[in-house]
Amino acid sequence: MPEIKPTLEQLNQQLLAAESAGDPSKQGIALNNLGNHYQERRDTAKAAEYFLKALGFFSVLQDMERRATVLNNLGGTYHDAGQYQKALEYFALALGTYGSLGQAFGQGMAVNNLGGVHLVLKRYDDAQSQFRLAATFFHNAGASSWEAQALENLAATQVARGNTKAAVESYGRALELWQNENHPERQAMILNRIASLHSSAGENRRAIDLHGRALALARQAGNLPVEASTHTAIGRIYLELKDWKTAQANFEAAVKICEQCGDTKGRASALLELGKLNLAVGSELIQSAAALFKEIGDVVGERAALELIEAQSMSNAKKP
């Protein structure tokens, strides 16, 4: 069952009760909770206001653990607001505070967040170093799922740098961790990412094999959107290979699954690919017709077919 979160009214009542009791620790907790409430709703100005107030309480109380939490929250808020320099400053302060406490997990969270900001800023060397360090912190803390996520972030950075080989290795390490955690959904998602890298390198058969494994895991997890997107990815490869029948079967399977689970975006993507397939098949048929007209000496028929091909080429050339 989803977690039932307190309403804004309840959070304000919590703050009033803490103020009435004159308890600064509870006031700081209530202010942090209000900050979380506004951050979840992307009201970054309000979130920052409450987090800064909470930070003041925990700093005076020298409650370093809660201070580190609020510093991390502030970093996240400024990241959401696109104020990346402030985000870096607060994540760095959180990292130092967690370090003074000897908390490997907290250090992992903070340095992973620093990597995320540097990735957005396209400072790939810094991002890679921080994601590697985050994975090490999470490993030392025994937080396997967080270690896997840090490795996925590292892989995404390596992809952005064009280092496909390193990205495949990082995704592979993350995959092993998710296997140990018995998490088929995340395994499927990573296998799809690795497959897309192989597909981009022209290694289509390897990509199809990996997508097939992902498809089985998505079904095992009961994740219909991932199952549908995997069918679409497989269909794209067969479309490139001009295996029209297999491509169509995968695109149609994706459409059906998306209709079943209400995934509108996934359905639109699959329908778009079906449209590309029909255009490709139509173009091939028209070319065959032109060749046959030429063979029998039907100049009028051949010209009509060639004009259709030319019109389609001009239409494609106009598309952005």
Side-chain angles (χ1 to χ4, degrees), residues 15-307:
L15 177 59
L16 287 172
E19 289 172 343
S20 298
D23 188 328
S25 180
K26 287 185 178 178
Q27 288 180 65
I29 292 170
L31 288 163
N32 184 64
N33 290 341
L34 280 162
N36 285 328
H37 174 87
Y38 285 108
Q39 186 181 22
E40 289 170 0
R41 286 154 183 78
R42 299 290 177 176
D43 188 340
T44 53
K46 276 281 190 184
E49 176 187 341
Y50 282 106
F51 284 140
L52 286 167
K53 289 179 181 178
L55 181 63
F57 277 100
F58 295 135
S59 296
V60 170
L61 292 168
Q62 295 189 358
D63 186 338
M64 302 306 285
E65 187 169 349
R66 288 196 172 104
R67 184 175 184 273
T69 298
V70 177
L71 286 167
N72 213 34
N73 289 342
L74 275 164
T77 299
Y78 287 121
H79 180 279
D80 292 343
Q83 298 182 46
Y84 298 120
Q85 190 54 48
K86 279 191 173 183
L88 289 172
E89 290 171 9
Y90 281 103
F91 284 141
L93 287 169
L95 176 60
T97 307
Y98 281 124
S100 70
L101 295 168
Q103 286 194 7
F105 180 80
Q107 289 174 276
M109 288 283 288
V111 79
N112 191 59
N113 289 334
L114 281 167
V117 178
H118 283 296
L119 179 57
V120 170
L121 295 173
K122 297 183 180 180
R123 298 172 183 169
Y124 298 127
D125 289 340
D126 289 331
Q128 286 183 92
S129 297
Q130 286 157 348
F131 289 138
R132 285 194 185 98
L133 184 57
T136 300
F137 278 129
F138 288 134
H139 180 79
N140 292 340
S144 296
S145 60
W146 286 93
E147 181 185 355
Q149 290 178 55
L151 288 168
E152 288 182 53
N153 292 338
L154 174 60
T157 308
Q158 290 162 334
V159 170
R161 284 296 301 266
N163 194 343
T164 302
K165 183 179 179 181
V168 169
E169 290 175 359
S170 297
Y171 277 135
R173 289 168 60 199
L175 181 62
E176 289 179 11
L177 290 167
W178 287 121
Q179 287 171 338
N180 293 337
E181 292 286 314
N182 192 26
H183 203 307
E185 181 178 322
R186 291 303 288 256
Q187 292 176 61
M189 293 168 71
I190 292 176
L191 283 167
N192 277 334
R193 289 172 190 151
I194 297 173
S196 69
L197 294 176
H198 283 287
S199 178
S200 297
E203 300 167 359
N204 290 322
R205 293 302 170 186
R206 176 62 174 153
I208 289 169
D209 176 64
L210 290 166
H211 280 313
R213 288 169 58 192
L215 192 60
L217 286 162
R219 287 170 178 161
Q220 180 185 333
N223 190 314
L224 294 178
V226 173
E227 183 181 348
S229 65
T230 307
H231 272 299
T232 300
I234 294 170
R236 287 192 185 107
I237 296 173
Y238 280 112
L239 177 59
E240 184 179 338
L241 294 172
K242 295 187 177 182
D243 184 340
W244 311 132
K245 185 177 179 180
T246 308
Q248 181 175 348
N250 276 281
F251 293 143
E252 289 177 347
V255 170
K256 184 177 180 180
I257 294 168
C258 289
E259 288 174 346
Q260 182 181 344
C261 66
D263 183 356
T264 304
K265 184 176 180 179
R267 184 184 174 208
S269 296
L271 286 171
L272 178 62
E273 297 301 329
L274 271 172
K276 291 179 183 177
L277 170 64
N278 288 332
L279 287 172
V281 172
S283 178
E284 188 174 81
L285 290 173
I286 294 168
Q287 288 173 350
S288 296
L292 289 171
F293 281 129
K294 184 177 182 179
E295 184 181 322
I296 62 175
D298 188 333
V299 177
V300 175
E302 182 186 2
R303 185 182 301 116
L306 291 173
E307 285 174 355

